Amino acid sequence: MKESTTAELYLSFATIFHRPHPEVVNHLEELIELWEEEIPDIMEPLAALKKFCQIYAPGETRINTLWEHYIPLFETGSVEAPPFASIYLSGDGLVLGTETIAVQTFYNSAGYAMGEKAEQLPDHLAIELEFLALLARDGEEVLLENFRQKHLIPFLTKILPRIKNGSRPVYSSVAQILQSWQLG
Amino acid sequence: MRRRQFLKGALYGTGSMIALGGCGSLTKVDQKTLAANQIAEKTVYSTCEMCTSRCTMAAKVRDGKVIKIEGNPNDSSTAGTVCARGSAGVSLLYDPQRIKKPMIRTGERGTGKFKEVSWDEAYTFIADKVTQIQQNYGPEAIAFASRINPQDAFFRQIAKAIGSPNTFSHEATCPMTKTTALEMTFGNPWIAADYGNAKYIITSGRNFFEGIHVSMVKGVMKAVQNGAKLVVLDPRFSVTAAKGEWVPIKGATDLAFFMAMANIMIKENLYDKDFIENYTEGFDKWVEAVKDKTPEWAEKETGIPKEKIIEITRDFAAKRPNALVEFGWRTPWTPNDYQCRRAILIINLMMGNWEVPGGYYQKKGAGVLQPFPDQAGYAKPTGGGYGPMPPAPKPSKGRIDGAGVKGTPGILIPVADGAVGQIPESILTEKPYAIKGWLVHRFNPVISMTESERIIESFKKLDLLVTCDVYMTDTAYYSDVVLPECTYLERYEPIIDQSGLIPKIQLRQPVVPLVYPDTKPAWLIYKELGQKMGIGDFFSFKDMEEFLERQLKPSGIAFDQMKEKGFWSPADMKPFYMRGKDPKAPAAPSLNEKGKMHIFSHEIEEAIPGQGIPVYTKYPQPGEGEFRFVQGKVAVHTNAGTHNVPVLNELMPTNSLWINSVSATKLGIKDGDNIVITAGKYEHKGVAKVTEAIRPDTVFCYHGFGRISPGLKRAYGKGINDNKLIPNAIGESGNVVTSMTFVKIRKV
Ligand code: SF4
């Protein structure tokens, strides 16, 4: 796979796991197209995603439907699959644990840091994926593989089953696709 | 290949960052900047907010993260300790279940469907709705309810600026009857007890060791260690009762016990005649009121043998004046509970324990010291922080609860708090006029107020319901707009006056930067909302640094000093008792115009003829098969506020219903059985805790459980929500009424 494709794939998943944003939500079809082209054996989740796009055309209803699921899944209150690596890998089930520090230190060693206006914690699933997109874009293959093995894979192993089994439209399908791509 | 453009553009078209949707958090930095940002270990002194007691605290911070919360070792009143809730603040701070962004409801109320929005969108939504309500119904149609806290002043500022008189605190659900009694007797509610030096303490339900206030707990422990007797009137054997003598009084009869005490003290000359003569008025009417309240009569009312009442009274009076009857904390038990609190205060006056060690005293804020030449130099009062502001519009209508109106029953309702139970009533009945908007700050009516389902029913009639909190509370779940406040470990608040026998002011300050970047402190939320609503002039301070500098300036205390130490008290001042050296010294409570304490209250008499002196009301007792339902606090939770906090939820995730073993046997109920509790039209499932530690005619549960918001994942659906079973009655001083509900129990 070309580096630019790898970067696009990481970015595609990052954008989905960030808070729903019209720029992304209204281009869901294009992300589906990318996954269909680049990731094998994902017929079932792709079909579900396409169906979702048929039911909900780009626009307010589509984004509100995603909010309806994103909030309880990742964001507030019941938080069915907390999107922070620290929750799964730091031992106390809280944010900003040892895994957050480790991830942040990795970003720093690669010359990146969380900007002042960052709206998420460093170990948020979307931020880790965004970081990998940047490494792929910059051709930092060794760093990428190192981060993937040390941080992303252990995190995905824990969080993806939760998202997948939560049966929330879009998110469970995307989790399945990401699982196919990253965890084989 | 549309997607090549879509994603490629984001990856390669905008410099080093990614600009697409929510991306763009990661930026390129050089190693020098990173090295400069390394943070060493430090301790930050602040004020706890895991309950409203406001203890001083010390947060240990390592690498920008709070690793531990302890007491402030320099504060002798807490002996450098915090309680379990205080130390659990770390797990609240780093809880993934906190609210992180403003939200606007997208589905029907109660379906939990929201979208996240920017602050600006949230403010615009609220401001537009408020304007609509103002235009259609007037500003008074918007009610404001909050938990009393230093920062809720900013919330109330919005009400003031739009001209709504309807501001309420949570106090009616907790200590309000005590507040009314203090105001009617002393002229102000800022009175405290000197537990540590007491030789005998009687408490009527106050459960020091579970309803924890650290410095008070330390005081009571000191007294008990020094040999003080502790007598606890309570239908339930509480932890406090376990540390003293349990007197298992029949519910709703405490006033009879105190009237009988007064009867004995008068008959046996066991009271301080000089004090009564010099400092009080109306004692003759009290003598008349209690003349037939004999121990024999009280035995029939309270179920306590007359010999026990006499013994307690004589032993207590023998310790005069260094002995006290505690006036209570969560006190709204009966409709006229304030009369019981008044009787307690009168017994204390009969003991002459005002302004002496082991008695009651006026809290010694700097302002209180000013008339005393030998004390005035120790502290200067702080000032206001708001800066100049325009005159507030005068509300065109009175409050919905009539609070504070002289010559009417409303005079019994403290205006600063209000009868919060009136809000749902006015929404539902539109009397005295309709409430159409309800703004809620760090308060949870669904669980904290009585009759949860009626509260929810009232929500459905509102045009606007806004909740600002740290969690998706049961009220937030039904709201149109939810605003995420940051925690107390991430914000400044106005100066907190915690004076006791010496002045003491405290600071609440950020211990770490915001964990969730789009949460905000209350001062900023209401300042920005005010600006959006066109009332920004009422918030003419740049930030909290400026606000606090202004507050501290007149006191001569430097802001930096407060930041460094977390609190300030005059170092060389000794505890000041106005009558410490001379029992005849002037010792009027502050703000008391006549300088005399009111045993007989003309104000009450004028409002409700015949009630100027406490009058006993004989309330019904549970019949066959019924139980009086009482509730209380537990040491590891605060009201309705902490049940979802990770560590505290782990310590106590649920509650159960305490039932006496004899009563349980009659009903075929065993310990741990599933039960249904019925109160009128309401039912609640629960689990029985069968115990000897409660009267056979009473059942009990800890408050704050049985949460209905799925957004409180850990606490959701666990245990009994006591307030689901209690009707929303409004007592004479505006209080809710917590202990007049009779329930039936059955096994399932
Ligand atoms: S009593 Fe406990 S929770 Fe309340 S302020 Fe003090 S330390 Fe904090």
Side-chain angles (χ1 to χ4, degrees), chain A residues 4 7-8 11-12 15 18-19 21 23-24 27 30-31 33-34 37-38 60 64 67-68 71 75-80 84 87 93-97 107-108 110-115 118-121 127 130-131 133-134 137-138, chain B residues 1-4 6-8 10-12 15-29 31 34 63 65 90-91 94-101 103 106 113-116 472 515-518 646 710-713:
Chain A
S4 62
E8 282 176 53
L11 180 60
S12 67
T15 58
H18 266 301
R19 294 175 172 126
H21 193 289
E23 264 175 32
V24 175
H27 289 82
E30 292 156 59
L31 301 181
E33 203 182 304
L34 168 71
E37 279 173 28
E38 304 294 344
E60 204 179 330
N64 281 353
W67 274 122
E68 197 184 295
I71 292 174
E75 193 70 339
T76 280
S78 54
V79 195
E80 292 150 20
F84 312 104
I87 304 291
L94 300 175
V95 300
L96 279 183
Y107 296 163
N108 294 349
Y112 282 97
M114 297 297 284
E119 287 207 354
Q120 283 298 2
L121 299 179
I127 305 283
E130 188 182 331
F131 177 60
L134 287 167
R137 178 195 70 178
D138 298 347
Chain B
M1 292 305 241
R2 281 176 301 153
R3 53 121 172 145
R4 298 284 178 215
F6 164 62
L7 293 169
K8 268 201 169 81
L11 276 166
Y12 301 101
S16 67
M17 284 169 67
I18 294 177
L20 176 64
C23 297
S25 293
L26 285 159
T27 53
K28 278 267 186 203
V29 280
Q31 295 303 323
L34 289 172
D63 294 330
K65 193 184 169 189
V90 185
S91 77
Y94 298 117
D95 187 356
Q97 290 184 28
R98 280 174 51 192
I99 319 174
K100 302 171 188 78
K101 293 271 289 181
M103 288 183 285
T106 56
K113 292 182 183 170
F114 291 91
K115 64 177 175 184
E116 290 184 343
M472 190 62 154
V515 169
Y516 298 115
D518 221 13
L712 300 168
K713 191 180 183 180

Side-chain angles (χ1 to χ4, degrees), chain B residues 414-545:
Chain B
V415 182
D417 302 311
V420 73
Q422 183 60 43
I423 300 179
E425 296 311 317
S426 291
I427 296 170
L428 289 166
T429 64
E430 306 196 347
K431 288 187 182 129
Y433 52 83
I435 291 292
K436 291 289 179 184
W438 191 352
L439 271 58
V440 179
H441 177 76
R442 297 297 302 279
F443 176 51
N444 188 0
V446 174
I447 300 295
S448 296
M449 291 171 65
T450 44
E451 206 168 341
S452 307
E453 285 182 19
R454 191 163 171 80
I455 306 285
I456 293 168
E457 199 188 323
S458 78
F459 289 166
K460 293 180 183 154
K461 276 193 77 181
L462 286 169
D463 292 348
L464 176 67
L465 176 60
V466 178
T467 299
C468 176
D469 214 304
V470 292
Y471 278 120
M472 190 62 154
T473 64
D474 313 270
T475 301
Y477 195 70
Y478 285 88
S479 295
D480 301 309
V481 186
V482 180
L483 303 175
E485 195 188 19
C486 60
T487 70
Y488 66 102
L489 297 166
E490 306 163 282
R491 65 171 187 251
Y492 278 117
E493 283 184 24
I495 290 294
I496 301 166
D497 191 327
Q498 288 286 85
S499 300
L501 283 158
I502 59 174
K504 182 185 186 189
I505 57 170
Q506 294 179 196
L507 181 66
R508 190 170 277 149
Q509 62 176 323
V511 164
V512 284
L514 295 172
V515 169
Y516 298 115
D518 221 13
T519 57
K520 292 189 186 211
W523 69 266
L524 186 57
I525 295 173
Y526 297 113
K527 182 175 156 63
E528 289 178 345
L529 177 62
Q531 278 156 358
K532 183 63 76 179
M533 291 169 67
I535 47 173
D537 293 4
F538 285 81
F539 298 85
S540 40
F541 52 95
K542 192 164 76 302
D543 51 26
M544 275 310 281
E545 279 87 342

Side-chain angles (χ1 to χ4, degrees), chain B residues 438-747:
Chain B
W438 191 352
L439 271 58
V440 179
H441 177 76
R442 297 297 302 279
F443 176 51
N444 188 0
V446 174
I447 300 295
S448 296
M449 291 171 65
T450 44
E451 206 168 341
S452 307
E453 285 182 19
R454 191 163 171 80
I455 306 285
I456 293 168
E457 199 188 323
S458 78
F459 289 166
K460 293 180 183 154
K461 276 193 77 181
L462 286 169
D463 292 348
L464 176 67
L465 176 60
V466 178
T467 299
C468 176
D469 214 304
V470 292
Y471 278 120
M472 190 62 154
T473 64
D474 313 270
T475 301
Y477 195 70
Y478 285 88
S479 295
D480 301 309
V481 186
V482 180
L483 303 175
E485 195 188 19
C486 60
T487 70
Y488 66 102
L489 297 166
E490 306 163 282
R491 65 171 187 251
Y492 278 117
E493 283 184 24
I495 290 294
I496 301 166
D497 191 327
Q498 288 286 85
S499 300
L501 283 158
I502 59 174
K504 182 185 186 189
I505 57 170
Q506 294 179 196
L507 181 66
R508 190 170 277 149
Q509 62 176 323
V511 164
V512 284
L514 295 172
V515 169
Y516 298 115
D518 221 13
T519 57
K520 292 189 186 211
W523 69 266
L524 186 57
I525 295 173
Y526 297 113
K527 182 175 156 63
E528 289 178 345
L529 177 62
Q531 278 156 358
K532 183 63 76 179
M533 291 169 67
I535 47 173
D537 293 4
F538 285 81
F539 298 85
S540 40
F541 52 95
K542 192 164 76 302
D543 51 26
M544 275 310 281
E545 279 87 342
E546 184 176 73
F547 190 100
L548 286 159
E549 295 270 16
R550 281 181 188 161
Q551 279 200 290
L552 286 168
K553 198 168 179 208
S555 73
I557 303 160
F559 184 31
D560 282 346
Q561 186 187 344
M562 287 300 287
K563 283 204 277 191
E564 195 190 322
K565 309 271 185 203
F567 79 101
W568 178 89
S569 261
D572 46 354
M573 182 178 166
K574 297 218 166 48
F576 173 44
Y577 304 92
M578 296 178 194
R579 297 173 62 236
K581 290 189 192 133
D582 172 8
K584 290 210 160 66
S590 61
L591 305 180
N592 186 319
E593 287 154 21
K594 291 186 196 161
K596 293 254 183 182
M597 296 162 223
H598 302 164
I599 289 177
F600 177 80
S601 164
H602 293 281
E603 251 183 329
I604 301 177
E605 186 66 24
E606 202 185 316
I608 317 178
Q611 296 289 319
I613 203 83
V615 176
Y616 185 68
T617 304
K618 189 179 174 74
Y619 288 113
Q621 292 297 323
E624 187 61 30
E626 289 180 331
F627 301 89
R628 184 180 298 280
F629 181 40
V630 299
Q631 323 84 38
K633 292 171 189 264
V634 66
V636 296
H637 284 298
T638 299
N639 301 335
T642 58
H643 297 64
N644 204 57
V645 172
V647 168
L648 298 176
N649 182 273
E650 207 175 312
L651 285 173
M652 187 176 179
T654 188
N655 64 355
S656 52
L657 190 79
W658 293 36
I659 180 167
N660 179 278
S661 47
V662 173
S663 313
T665 306
K666 276 194 207 160
L667 295 168
I669 292 170
K670 291 199 271 316
D671 192 44
D673 276 353
N674 289 322
I675 52 165
V676 170
I677 313 156
T678 312
K681 61 179 173 176
Y682 297 119
E683 275 196 352
H684 207 309
K685 286 186 184 150
V687 169
K689 175 188 164 82
V690 177
T691 170
E692 309 288 310
I694 191 161
R695 285 177 58 91
D697 61 357
T698 305
V699 290
F700 165 90
C701 75
Y702 287 112
H703 169 66
F705 292 87
R707 309 306 285 270
I708 61 164
S709 165
L712 300 168
K713 191 180 183 180
R714 301 179 193 94
Y716 176 56
K718 289 187 189 146
I720 303 156
N721 166 18
D722 48 355
N723 274 334
K724 184 181 174 184
L725 297 162
I726 304 171
N728 184 34
I730 298 173
E732 288 177 21
S733 59
N735 52 295
V736 305
V737 180
T738 60
S739 305
M740 296 299 298
T741 301
F742 298 156
V743 298
K744 291 186 174 163
I745 318 288
R746 68 172 197 272
K747 189 178 160 170

Side-chain angles (χ1 to χ4, degrees), chain B residues 401-414:
Chain B
D401 58 1
V405 181
K406 276 196 184 249
T408 73
I411 193 69
L412 294 178
I413 307 173

Side-chain angles (χ1 to χ4, degrees), chain A residues 114-175:
Chain A
M114 297 297 284
E116 272 181 17
K117 295 212 166 121
E119 287 207 354
Q120 283 298 2
L121 299 179
D123 60 340
H124 190 284
L125 177 58
I127 305 283
E128 292 201 7
L129 292 164
E130 188 182 331
F131 177 60
L132 287 164
L134 287 167
L135 293 182
R137 178 195 70 178
D138 298 347
E140 297 281 6
E141 269 175 55
V142 179
L143 278 177
L144 187 150
E145 196 48 29
N146 198 346
F147 186 85
R148 192 173 158 265
Q149 292 301 338
K150 260 199 189 145
H151 300 290
L152 185 74
I153 298 290
F155 182 17
L156 293 184
T157 309
K158 299 274 186 188
I159 193 174
L160 289 182
R162 287 208 194 197
I163 306 174
K164 220 176 72 182
N165 301 336
S167 65
R168 300 247 170 218
V170 177
Y171 297 105
S172 65
S173 307
V174 177

Side-chain angles (χ1 to χ4, degrees), chain B residues 144-179:
Chain B
F144 295 74
S146 55
R147 193 177 64 163
I148 281 268
N149 219 347
Q151 95 274 28
D152 93 328
F154 301 113
F155 173 69
R156 286 168 176 249
Q157 193 77 346
I158 298 275
K160 179 176 167 180
I162 66 168
S164 171
N166 289 314
T167 50
F168 298 82
S169 76
H170 77 291
E171 299 274 291
T173 68
C174 198
M176 190 197 270
T177 61
K178 169 199 86 175
T179 311

